[in-house]
Amino acid sequence: MEKKLLRSSRDKWIAGICGGIAEYFGWNPDVLRLVWVILTVSTAFCGVIIYLVLWLIMPKADTYIY
């Protein structure tokens, strides 16, 4: 079965970007969100721009993947 990088439809706060990345790599989504916030604040909010770009280019998962 081929893994695809998709926005999460079950583990999301805003658009499911961090949840989708965490599902793809098998990471904890809460830790990824914390790291994302720290990196966003420490890089003059470049993470916000990256998040918006990923929101546009990552397809949304239509069904739950287990």
Side-chain angles (χ1 to χ4, degrees), residues 26-66:
W27 297 341
N28 184 340
D30 296 327
V31 173
L32 182 61
R33 287 182 184 105
L34 180 63
V35 170
W36 191 281
V37 168
I38 291 169
L39 289 175
T40 298
V41 171
S42 66
T43 60
F45 296 94
C46 291
V48 174
I49 296 169
I50 295 169
Y51 194 90
L52 292 174
V53 169
L54 289 174
W55 194 348
L56 293 173
I57 64 173
M58 280 178 66
K60 184 176 182 180
D62 294 330
T63 59
Y64 294 128
I65 301 171
Y66 294 103

Side-chain angles (χ1 to χ4, degrees), residues 3-36:
K3 286 176 37 173
K4 294 184 180 182
L5 184 59
L6 303 169
R7 289 188 289 143
S8 179
S9 59
R10 62 185 170 126
D11 186 14
K12 65 179 186 175
W13 283 12
I14 299 175
I17 301 298
C18 290
I21 293 171
E23 286 175 8
Y24 184 80
F25 289 109
W27 297 341
N28 184 340
D30 296 327
V31 173
L32 182 61
R33 287 182 184 105
L34 180 63
V35 170
W36 191 281

